[in-house]
Amino acid sequence: MITGLVPVLLPRQLPLGADDLHDPGTCNRPAEFREEAVQIALRSSKTISETARELELNPETLRGWVKKYQKRNEPAAGAPLTLDERARLKEQDRRIRELEMESAFLKKCAAYFAKDPR
């Protein structure tokens, strides 16, 4: 060990001061702000990183909030469907049958016109 040398702290190694705690990405945000930020991120066509930049947040912070929100609000795996979900599912099934019939008809039309030598 070398004695008599004074340790030199580089700028990155300086201890945190009170001013460092006011960085917008590191301070705690109120729950209302977090909820609103998550809603903006989910509704926006922008990426989470772009939204975070606009809100002056670290993208990973916003991404974590979004994941927590989605995990908290997703339905349980074995939960029964609500009345609205059942109605929507029934309408989607009807629409699928209708599109399958149209597709079958168009295939028959294409086959008919492909073999007709007019």
Side-chain angles (χ1 to χ4, degrees):
M1 182 169 159
I2 302 173
T3 58
L5 294 178
V6 178
V8 176
L9 296 176
L10 297 175
R12 278 188 235 156
Q13 297 171 331
L14 291 174
L16 286 178
D19 294 338
D20 296 328
L21 298 177
H22 295 299
D23 184 331
T26 60
C27 67
N28 291 332
R29 304 292 181 139
E32 296 84 20
F33 176 83
R34 290 192 302 259
E35 280 293 320
E36 192 169 336
V38 166
Q39 291 304 318
I40 291 170
L42 292 175
R43 291 183 189 142
S44 175
S45 61
K46 297 178 182 176
T47 65
I48 289 180
S49 295
E50 292 170 340
T51 305
R53 243 180 267 118
E54 289 177 3
L55 297 173
E56 297 180 359
L57 288 169
N58 181 330
E60 292 306 314
T61 301
L62 182 58
R63 191 169 284 113
W65 293 349
V66 168
K67 284 182 182 179
K68 284 180 186 176
Y69 175 84
Q70 289 173 333
K71 192 171 194 176
R72 186 176 61 226
N73 292 318
E74 72 182 15
L81 297 176
T82 65
L83 190 58
D84 289 339
E85 290 171 332
R86 285 184 193 153
R88 188 179 53 191
L89 184 60
K90 187 175 180 180
E91 174 63 25
Q92 289 172 344
D93 287 342
R94 183 196 64 75
R95 182 70 177 138
I96 289 171
R97 281 193 308 275
E98 184 179 295
L99 291 171
E100 286 173 343
M101 289 187 335
E102 288 177 10
S103 176
F105 175 74
L106 291 172
K107 284 179 184 178
K108 289 177 185 177
C109 289
Y112 174 77
F113 288 112
K115 69 179 179 180
D116 189 21
R118 290 189 187 195

